[in-house]
Coordinates of all heavy atoms in Angstrom, one line a residue:
M37 N 101.0 101.4 116.6 CA 101.6 102.4 115.6 C 100.6 103.5 115.4 O 99.4 103.4 115.6 CB 101.9 101.6 114.3 CG 100.9 101.7 113.2 SD 101.4 101.0 111.6 CE 102.0 102.5 110.8
T38 N 101.1 104.6 115.0 CA 100.3 105.8 114.7 C 99.5 105.5 113.5 O 99.9 104.9 112.5 CB 101.2 107.0 114.3 OG1 102.2 107.2 115.4 CG2 100.4 108.3 114.2
E39 N 98.2 105.9 113.5 CA 97.3 105.7 112.4 C 97.6 106.7 111.3 O 97.8 107.9 111.6 CB 95.9 105.7 112.8 CG 95.5 104.5 113.7 CD 94.1 104.4 114.1 OE1 93.3 105.4 113.9 OE2 93.7 103.4 114.5
L40 N 97.6 106.3 110.1 CA 97.8 107.2 108.9 C 96.6 107.1 108.1 O 95.9 106.1 108.0 CB 99.0 106.7 108.1 CG 100.3 106.5 108.9 CD1 101.3 105.8 108.0 CD2 100.8 107.8 109.4
S41 N 96.3 108.2 107.4 CA 95.2 108.2 106.4 C 95.7 107.9 105.0 O 96.8 108.3 104.6 CB 94.4 109.5 106.4 OG 95.2 110.5 105.9
V42 N 94.9 107.2 104.3 CA 95.2 106.8 102.9 C 94.0 107.2 102.1 O 92.9 106.6 102.2 CB 95.5 105.3 102.7 CG1 95.8 105.1 101.2 CG2 96.7 104.9 103.6
E43 N 94.2 108.3 101.3 CA 93.0 108.8 100.5 C 93.2 108.3 99.0 O 94.2 108.4 98.4 CB 93.1 110.3 100.5 CG 92.0 110.9 99.6 CD 92.0 112.4 99.5 OE1 92.8 113.1 100.3 OE2 91.4 113.0 98.6
F44 N 92.1 107.7 98.6 CA 92.0 107.2 97.2 C 91.2 108.3 96.5 O 89.9 108.2 96.5 CB 91.3 105.8 97.1 CG 92.1 104.8 97.9 CD1 91.8 104.6 99.3 CD2 93.1 104.1 97.3 CE1 92.6 103.6 100.0 CE2 93.9 103.1 98.0 CZ 93.6 102.9 99.4
R45 N 91.9 109.3 96.0 CA 91.2 110.6 95.6 C 90.1 110.4 94.6 O 89.0 110.9 94.7 CB 92.2 111.6 95.2 CG 91.5 112.9 94.9 CD 92.4 114.1 95.0 NE 92.8 114.4 96.4 CZ 93.7 115.3 96.8 NH1 94.3 116.0 95.9 NH2 93.9 115.5 98.1
R46 N 90.4 109.7 93.5 CA 89.4 109.7 92.4 C 88.2 108.8 92.8 O 87.1 109.0 92.3 CB 90.0 109.2 91.1 CG 90.7 110.3 90.3 CD 91.1 109.8 88.9 NE 92.3 109.0 88.9 CZ 92.3 107.8 88.3 NH1 91.3 107.3 87.7 NH2 93.4 107.1 88.3
S47 N 88.5 107.9 93.7 CA 87.4 107.1 94.2 C 86.5 107.8 95.3 O 85.5 107.3 95.7 CB 87.9 105.8 94.8 OG 88.7 105.1 93.8
G48 N 87.1 108.8 95.9 CA 86.4 109.6 96.9 C 86.3 108.8 98.2 O 85.3 109.0 99.0
V49 N 87.3 108.0 98.5 CA 87.3 107.1 99.7 C 88.6 107.4 100.4 O 89.7 107.4 99.8 CB 87.2 105.7 99.3 CG1 87.4 104.8 100.5 CG2 85.9 105.4 98.6
T50 N 88.5 107.5 101.7 CA 89.7 107.6 102.6 C 89.7 106.5 103.6 O 88.6 106.3 104.3 CB 89.8 109.0 103.3 OG1 89.9 110.0 102.2 CG2 91.0 109.1 104.1
G51 N 90.8 105.8 103.8 CA 90.9 104.7 104.8 C 91.9 105.1 105.8 O 92.7 106.0 105.7
T52 N 91.9 104.3 106.9 CA 92.9 104.4 108.0 C 93.9 103.3 108.0 O 93.4 102.1 108.0 CB 92.2 104.5 109.3 OG1 91.3 105.6 109.3 CG2 93.2 104.7 110.5
W53 N 95.1 103.6 107.9 CA 96.2 102.6 108.0 C 96.6 102.4 109.4 O 97.1 103.3 110.0 CB 97.4 103.0 107.1 CG 98.5 102.0 107.1 CD1 99.5 101.9 108.0 CD2 98.6 100.8 106.3 NE1 100.2 100.7 107.7 CE2 99.7 100.1 106.7 CE3 97.8 100.4 105.2 CZ2 100.1 98.9 106.0 CZ3 98.2 99.2 104.6 CH2 99.3 98.5 105.0
D54 N 96.4 101.2 109.9 CA 96.8 100.9 111.3 C 97.8 99.8 111.4 O 98.1 99.3 112.6 CB 95.5 100.6 112.2 CG 94.8 99.3 111.7 OD1 95.4 98.6 110.8 OD2 93.8 99.0 112.2
G55 N 98.4 99.4 110.3 CA 99.4 98.4 110.3 C 98.9 97.0 110.3 O 99.7 96.1 110.3
S56 N 97.6 96.8 110.1 CA 97.0 95.5 110.1 C 96.9 94.9 108.7 O 96.5 93.7 108.6 CB 95.7 95.5 110.9 OG 94.7 96.2 110.2
F57 N 97.2 95.6 107.7 CA 97.1 95.1 106.3 C 98.5 94.9 105.8 O 99.5 95.5 106.2 CB 96.4 96.1 105.4 CG 95.0 96.3 105.8 CD1 94.6 97.4 106.6 CD2 94.0 95.4 105.4 CE1 93.2 97.6 106.9 CE2 92.7 95.5 105.8 CZ 92.3 96.6 106.6
E58 N 98.6 93.9 104.8 CA 99.9 93.6 104.2 C 100.3 94.7 103.2 O 101.5 94.8 102.9 CB 99.8 92.3 103.5 CG 99.5 91.1 104.4 CD 100.8 90.4 104.9 OE1 101.7 90.2 104.0 OE2 100.8 90.0 106.0
S59 N 99.3 95.3 102.6 CA 99.6 96.3 101.5 C 98.6 97.3 101.4 O 97.4 97.2 101.9 CB 99.7 95.5 100.2 OG 98.5 95.1 99.8
I60 N 98.9 98.4 100.6 CA 97.9 99.4 100.4 C 96.7 98.8 99.6 O 95.5 99.1 99.8 CB 98.5 100.6 99.6 CG1 99.6 101.2 100.4 CG2 97.5 101.6 99.2 CD1 100.6 102.1 99.7
L61 N 97.0 97.9 98.7 CA 95.9 97.2 98.0 C 95.0 96.4 98.9 O 93.7 96.5 98.7 CB 96.5 96.2 96.9 CG 95.5 95.4 96.1 CD1 94.6 96.3 95.3 CD2 96.3 94.4 95.2
D62 N 95.5 95.8 99.9 CA 94.6 95.1 100.9 C 93.7 96.1 101.6 O 92.6 95.8 101.9 CB 95.5 94.3 101.9 CG 96.1 93.1 101.3 OD1 95.8 92.7 100.2 OD2 97.0 92.5 102.1
L63 N 94.3 97.3 102.0 CA 93.5 98.3 102.6 C 92.4 98.7 101.7 O 91.2 98.8 102.1 CB 94.3 99.5 103.0 CG 93.6 100.7 103.5 CD1 92.8 100.4 104.8 CD2 94.5 101.9 103.6
A64 N 92.7 99.0 100.4 CA 91.7 99.4 99.4 C 90.6 98.4 99.3 O 89.4 98.8 99.3 CB 92.4 99.6 98.1
E65 N 90.9 97.1 99.2 CA 89.9 96.1 99.1 C 89.0 96.0 100.4 O 87.8 95.8 100.3 CB 90.6 94.8 98.8 CG 91.2 94.7 97.4 CD 91.9 93.5 97.1 OE1 92.4 92.8 98.0 OE2 92.1 93.2 95.9
S66 N 89.6 96.3 101.5 CA 88.8 96.3 102.7 C 87.7 97.5 102.7 O 86.8 97.4 103.5 CB 89.6 96.4 104.0 OG 90.0 97.8 104.2
L67 N 88.0 98.5 101.9 CA 87.1 99.6 101.7 C 86.1 99.4 100.5 O 85.5 100.3 100.1 CB 87.9 100.9 101.5 CG 88.8 101.2 102.7 CD1 89.8 102.3 102.3 CD2 88.0 101.7 103.9
D68 N 86.1 98.2 100.0 CA 85.3 97.8 98.9 C 85.6 98.5 97.6 O 84.8 98.6 96.7 CB 83.8 98.1 99.2 CG 83.3 97.2 100.3 OD1 83.8 96.1 100.4 OD2 82.4 97.6 101.0
L69 N 86.9 98.9 97.4 CA 87.3 99.5 96.2 C 87.7 98.3 95.3 O 88.4 97.3 95.8 CB 88.5 100.4 96.3 CG 88.3 101.7 97.1 CD1 89.5 102.5 97.2 CD2 87.2 102.5 96.4
V70 N 87.4 98.3 94.0 CA 87.7 97.2 93.1 C 88.8 97.8 92.2 O 88.6 98.6 91.3 CB 86.5 96.8 92.3 CG1 86.9 95.7 91.3 CG2 85.4 96.3 93.2
L71 N 90.1 97.4 92.4 CA 91.2 97.9 91.7 C 91.9 96.8 90.9 O 91.8 95.6 91.3 CB 92.2 98.6 92.7 CG 91.7 99.7 93.6 CD1 92.7 100.2 94.5 CD2 91.1 100.8 92.8
A72 N 92.5 97.2 89.8 CA 93.2 96.2 89.0 C 94.4 95.7 89.6 O 95.2 96.4 90.2 CB 93.6 96.9 87.6
Y73 N 94.6 94.4 89.6 CA 95.8 93.7 90.0 C 95.9 92.4 89.3 O 94.9 91.9 88.8 CB 95.8 93.6 91.6 CG 94.8 92.5 92.0 CD1 95.1 91.2 92.1 CD2 93.5 92.9 92.4 CE1 94.2 90.2 92.5 CE2 92.6 92.0 92.8 CZ 92.9 90.6 92.9 OH 92.0 89.7 93.2
S74 N 97.1 91.8 89.4 CA 97.3 90.5 88.9 C 98.1 89.6 89.8 O 97.7 88.8 90.6 CB 97.8 90.5 87.5 OG 97.9 89.2 87.0
C75 N 99.4 89.9 89.8 CA 100.4 89.1 90.6 C 100.4 89.3 92.1 O 100.7 88.4 92.8 CB 101.8 89.3 90.0 SG 102.5 90.9 90.5
R76 N 100.1 90.5 92.5 CA 100.1 90.8 93.9 C 101.5 90.6 94.6 O 101.6 90.4 95.8 CB 99.1 90.1 94.8 CG 97.7 90.3 94.4 CD 96.7 89.7 95.3 NE 96.4 90.5 96.4 CZ 95.3 91.2 96.6 NH1 94.4 91.2 95.7 NH2 95.2 92.0 97.7
S77 N 102.5 90.6 93.7 CA 103.9 90.4 94.3 C 104.9 91.3 93.6 O 106.1 91.0 93.7 CB 104.3 89.0 94.2 OG 104.2 88.5 92.9
G78 N 104.5 92.4 93.0 CA 105.5 93.4 92.5 C 106.1 93.0 91.2 O 107.2 93.4 90.9
I79 N 105.5 92.2 90.4 CA 106.1 91.7 89.1 C 105.4 92.3 87.9 O 106.0 92.8 87.0 CB 106.1 90.2 89.1 CG1 106.9 89.6 90.2 CG2 106.5 89.7 87.7 CD1 106.8 88.1 90.4
C80 N 104.1 92.3 87.9 CA 103.3 92.6 86.6 C 103.1 94.1 86.4 O 102.8 94.5 85.3 CB 102.0 91.8 86.6 SG 100.8 92.5 87.8
T81 N 103.1 94.9 87.4 CA 102.9 96.4 87.4 C 101.4 96.7 87.1 O 101.1 97.9 87.0 CB 103.7 97.2 86.4 OG1 103.3 96.9 85.1 CG2 105.2 96.8 86.6
T82 N 100.5 95.7 87.1 CA 99.1 96.0 86.9 C 98.5 97.0 88.0 O 97.7 97.8 87.7 CB 98.3 94.7 87.0 OG1 98.8 93.8 86.0 CG2 96.8 95.0 86.7
C83 N 99.0 96.9 89.2 CA 98.5 97.8 90.3 C 99.2 99.1 90.3 O 98.9 99.9 91.3 CB 98.7 97.1 91.6 SG 100.4 96.9 92.1
Q84 N 100.1 99.5 89.4 CA 100.8 100.7 89.4 C 99.9 101.9 89.4 O 98.9 101.9 88.6 CB 101.8 100.8 88.3 CG 102.7 102.0 88.3 CD 103.8 101.9 87.3 OE1 104.3 100.9 87.0 NE2 104.1 103.1 86.7
C85 N 100.1 102.9 90.3 CA 99.3 104.1 90.3 C 100.2 105.3 90.7 O 101.3 105.1 91.2 CB 98.1 103.9 91.2 SG 98.5 104.0 92.9
R86 N 99.6 106.5 90.5 CA 100.3 107.7 90.8 C 100.1 108.1 92.3 O 98.9 108.1 92.7 CB 99.9 108.8 89.9 CG 100.7 110.0 90.0 CD 100.4 111.0 88.8 NE 99.2 111.7 89.0 CZ 99.0 112.8 89.7 NH1 100.0 113.4 90.3 NH2 97.8 113.3 89.8
K87 N 101.1 108.5 92.9 CA 101.1 109.0 94.3 C 101.1 110.5 94.2 O 102.0 111.1 93.7 CB 102.3 108.5 95.1 CG 102.5 109.0 96.4 CD 103.6 108.3 97.2 CE 105.0 108.5 96.5 NZ 105.8 109.6 97.0
I88 N 100.0 111.1 94.8 CA 99.9 112.6 94.8 C 100.7 113.2 95.9 O 101.3 114.2 95.8 CB 98.4 113.0 94.8 CG1 97.7 112.5 93.5 CG2 98.3 114.5 95.0 CD1 96.2 112.6 93.6
A89 N 100.6 112.5 97.1 CA 101.3 113.0 98.3 C 101.6 111.9 99.2 O 100.9 110.9 99.2 CB 100.5 114.1 99.0
G90 N 102.6 112.0 100.0 CA 103.0 111.0 101.0 C 104.1 110.1 100.6 O 104.7 110.2 99.5
E91 N 104.5 109.2 101.5 CA 105.6 108.3 101.3 C 105.2 106.9 101.6 O 104.3 106.6 102.4 CB 106.7 108.7 102.3 CG 107.3 110.1 102.1 CD 107.8 110.4 100.8 OE1 108.4 109.4 100.2 OE2 107.7 111.5 100.3
I92 N 105.8 106.0 100.9 CA 105.6 104.5 101.0 C 106.9 103.8 101.2 O 108.0 104.4 100.9 CB 104.8 103.9 99.8 CG1 105.6 104.1 98.5 CG2 103.4 104.6 99.7 CD1 106.1 102.8 98.0
Q93 N 106.8 102.6 101.6 CA 108.0 101.7 101.4 C 107.5 100.4 100.9 O 106.4 99.9 101.2 CB 108.8 101.6 102.7 CG 108.2 100.6 103.7 CD 109.1 100.6 105.0 OE1 109.9 101.5 105.3 NE2 108.9 99.5 105.7
Y94 N 108.4 99.7 100.1 CA 108.1 98.4 99.6 C 108.3 97.3 100.6 O 109.3 97.4 101.4 CB 108.9 98.1 98.3 CG 108.3 98.9 97.2 CD1 108.9 100.1 96.8 CD2 107.2 98.5 96.5 CE1 108.4 100.9 95.8 CE2 106.6 99.3 95.5 CZ 107.2 100.5 95.1 OH 106.7 101.2 94.1
N95 N 107.5 96.3 100.6 CA 107.6 95.2 101.6 C 108.9 94.4 101.3 O 109.5 93.8 102.2 CB 106.4 94.3 101.5 CG 105.2 95.0 101.9 OD1 105.2 96.0 102.7 ND2 104.0 94.5 101.5
D96 N 109.3 94.4 100.1 CA 110.5 93.7 99.7 C 111.3 94.6 98.8 O 110.9 95.0 97.7 CB 110.1 92.4 98.9 CG 111.3 91.7 98.4 OD1 112.5 92.1 98.5 OD2 111.1 90.6 97.8
D97 N 112.6 94.9 99.2 CA 113.4 95.9 98.4 C 113.7 95.3 97.0 O 114.1 96.0 96.1 CB 114.7 96.1 99.1 CG 114.5 97.1 100.2 OD1 113.5 97.8 100.3 OD2 115.4 97.2 101.1
G98 N 113.5 94.0 96.8 CA 113.8 93.4 95.5 C 112.8 93.5 94.5 O 113.0 93.1 93.3
V99 N 111.6 94.0 94.8 CA 110.6 94.1 93.8 C 110.9 95.2 92.8 O 111.6 96.1 93.1 CB 109.2 94.4 94.3 CG1 108.7 93.3 95.3 CG2 109.1 95.8 95.0
Y100 N 110.4 95.0 91.5 CA 110.5 96.1 90.5 C 109.9 97.4 91.1 O 108.8 97.3 91.7 CB 109.8 95.7 89.3 CG 109.6 96.9 88.3 CD1 110.6 97.3 87.5 CD2 108.3 97.5 88.3 CE1 110.4 98.4 86.7 CE2 108.1 98.6 87.5 CZ 109.2 99.1 86.7 OH 109.0 100.1 85.9
Q101 N 110.6 98.5 91.0 CA 110.0 99.7 91.5 C 110.0 100.7 90.3 O 111.0 100.9 89.6 CB 110.9 100.3 92.6 CG 110.9 99.4 93.8 CD 111.8 99.9 95.0 OE1 112.1 101.0 95.0 NE2 112.1 99.0 95.9
P102 N 108.8 101.3 90.0 CA 108.7 102.2 88.8 C 109.8 103.3 88.9 O 110.1 103.8 90.0 CB 107.3 102.7 88.9 CG 106.6 101.7 89.7 CD 107.6 101.1 90.7
E103 N 110.3 103.7 87.8 CA 111.3 104.7 87.8 C 110.8 106.1 88.2 O 111.5 106.8 88.9 CB 112.0 104.8 86.4 CG 112.9 103.7 86.1 CD 113.6 103.9 84.7 OE1 113.7 105.0 84.3 OE2 114.0 102.9 84.2
A104 N 109.6 106.4 87.8 CA 109.1 107.7 88.2 C 108.8 107.7 89.7 O 108.1 106.8 90.2 CB 107.8 108.0 87.4
P105 N 109.3 108.7 90.4 CA 109.2 108.7 91.9 C 107.8 108.8 92.4 O 107.5 108.4 93.5 CB 110.0 109.9 92.3 CG 110.2 110.7 91.1 CD 110.1 109.8 89.9
D106 N 106.9 109.3 91.5 CA 105.5 109.4 92.0 C 104.6 108.2 91.5 O 103.4 108.2 91.7 CB 104.9 110.7 91.5 CG 104.8 110.9 90.0 OD1 105.5 110.1 89.3 OD2 104.1 111.8 89.6
E107 N 105.2 107.2 90.9 CA 104.5 106.0 90.5 C 104.8 104.9 91.5 O 106.0 104.6 91.8 CB 104.9 105.6 89.1 CG 104.4 106.5 88.0 CD 102.9 106.5 87.8 OE1 102.4 105.4 87.8 OE2 102.3 107.5 87.6
I108 N 103.8 104.2 92.0 CA 104.1 103.1 93.0 C 103.3 101.9 92.7 O 102.3 101.9 91.9 CB 103.7 103.6 94.4 CG1 102.2 103.9 94.6 CG2 104.6 104.8 94.8 CD1 101.8 104.1 96.0
L109 N 103.7 100.8 93.2 CA 103.0 99.5 93.1 C 102.3 99.3 94.5 O 102.9 99.2 95.5 CB 103.9 98.3 92.9 CG 104.8 98.5 91.6 CD1 105.7 97.2 91.5 CD2 103.9 98.6 90.4
I110 N 100.9 99.3 94.5 CA 100.2 99.3 95.8 C 100.0 97.9 96.3 O 99.6 97.7 97.4 CB 98.9 100.0 95.7 CG1 97.9 99.3 94.6 CG2 99.0 101.5 95.4 CD1 96.5 99.8 94.7
C111 N 100.4 96.8 95.5 CA 100.2 95.4 96.0 C 101.3 95.0 97.0 O 101.1 94.0 97.7 CB 100.1 94.5 94.8 SG 101.7 94.2 94.1
C112 N 102.4 95.7 97.0 CA 103.5 95.3 97.7 C 104.2 96.4 98.5 O 105.4 96.4 98.7 CB 104.5 94.6 96.8 SG 105.0 95.6 95.4
S113 N 103.4 97.4 98.8 CA 104.0 98.5 99.6 C 103.0 99.0 100.7 O 101.8 98.6 100.7 CB 104.2 99.7 98.6 OG 103.0 100.1 98.0
V114 N 103.6 99.7 101.6 CA 102.8 100.2 102.8 C 103.1 101.7 102.9 O 104.2 102.1 102.6 CB 103.1 99.4 104.1 CG1 102.8 97.9 103.9 CG2 104.6 99.6 104.5
P115 N 102.2 102.4 103.5 CA 102.4 103.8 103.7 C 103.4 104.1 104.9 O 103.3 103.3 105.9 CB 101.0 104.4 104.0 CG 100.2 103.3 104.5 CD 100.8 102.0 103.9
T116 N 104.2 105.1 104.8 CA 105.0 105.5 106.0 C 104.7 106.9 106.4 O 105.3 107.4 107.3 CB 106.6 105.4 105.6 OG1 106.8 106.2 104.5 CG2 107.0 104.0 105.4
S117 N 103.7 107.5 105.7 CA 103.1 108.7 106.1 C 101.7 108.7 105.6 O 101.4 107.8 104.8 CB 103.9 109.9 105.5 OG 103.6 110.0 104.1
S118 N 100.9 109.7 105.9 CA 99.6 109.7 105.3 C 99.8 109.9 103.8 O 100.7 110.5 103.3 CB 98.7 110.8 105.9 OG 98.3 110.5 107.2
L119 N 98.8 109.3 103.0 CA 99.0 109.2 101.6 C 97.8 109.8 100.8 O 96.7 109.6 101.3 CB 99.1 107.7 101.2 CG 100.4 107.0 101.1 CD1 100.1 105.6 100.5 CD2 101.4 107.7 100.2
V120 N 98.1 110.3 99.6 CA 97.0 110.6 98.7 C 97.4 109.9 97.4 O 98.5 110.1 96.9 CB 96.8 112.1 98.5 CG1 95.6 112.4 97.5 CG2 96.6 112.8 99.8
L121 N 96.5 109.1 96.9 CA 96.7 108.4 95.6 C 95.7 108.8 94.6 O 94.6 109.1 94.9 CB 96.6 106.8 95.9 CG 97.6 106.3 96.9 CD1 97.3 104.8 97.2 CD2 99.0 106.5 96.5
D122 N 96.2 108.7 93.3 CA 95.3 109.1 92.2 C 94.6 107.9 91.7 O 94.7 107.5 90.5 CB 96.2 109.7 91.1 CG 95.4 110.3 90.0 OD1 94.3 110.7 90.2 OD2 95.9 110.4 88.8
I123 N 93.8 107.3 92.5 CA 92.9 106.2 92.1 C 91.6 106.3 92.9 O 91.5 107.0 93.8 CB 93.6 104.8 92.4 CG1 94.2 104.7 93.8 CG2 94.5 104.4 91.3 CD1 94.8 103.3 94.1
Ligands
LIG553 S1 99.6 93.4 91.1 FE1 101.4 92.8 90.0 S2 102.8 94.3 90.6 FE2 101.1 94.7 91.8

């Protein structure tokens, strides 16, 4: 697959998405970012954050999805374009 960049802007860290992670949260943890989470399955919203640019898709269409289009749950989603996140 084409590699995508995922920028965690406030953390000053950018990673490469190559399809080998289950979620954006997994990628963040591989970069040693310590981010808030609890359920890791799209229920608690602890991992919700603001998307500055780019597109994602949820691993399971059935998970709760924040109403604001720029708010996403990173524990259960993957990028479909290069991303910039406000974390
Ligand atoms: S950690 Fe619970 S919704 Fe993401």
Side-chain angles (χ1 to χ4, degrees):
M37 95 171 267
T38 308
E39 292 186 345
L40 306 172
S41 69
V42 179
E43 178 183 347
F44 301 90
R45 182 155 290 173
R46 276 192 284 128
S47 304
V49 173
T50 299
T52 300
W53 181 269
D54 63 5
S56 65
F57 295 99
E58 297 267 319
S59 69
I60 299 164
L61 178 59
D62 286 352
L63 171 64
E65 290 175 336
S66 80
L67 299 168
D68 294 330
L69 294 179
V70 178
L71 304 178
Y73 69 87
S74 181
C75 72
R76 298 187 85 104
S77 56
I79 296 170
C80 71
T81 73
T82 304
C83 68
Q84 183 170 326
C85 72
R86 191 168 72 85
K87 175 173 61 93
I88 297 170
E91 300 299 326
I92 61 111
Q93 78 180 23
Y94 286 97
N95 296 337
D96 175 357
D97 285 342
V99 299
Y100 165 79
Q101 297 177 19
E103 283 183 25
D106 61 346
E107 292 286 321
I108 65 169
L109 303 178
I110 60 170
C111 73
C112 52
S113 60
V114 299
T116 56
S117 73
S118 288
L119 268 185
V120 181
L121 301 175
D122 187 26
I123 46 180

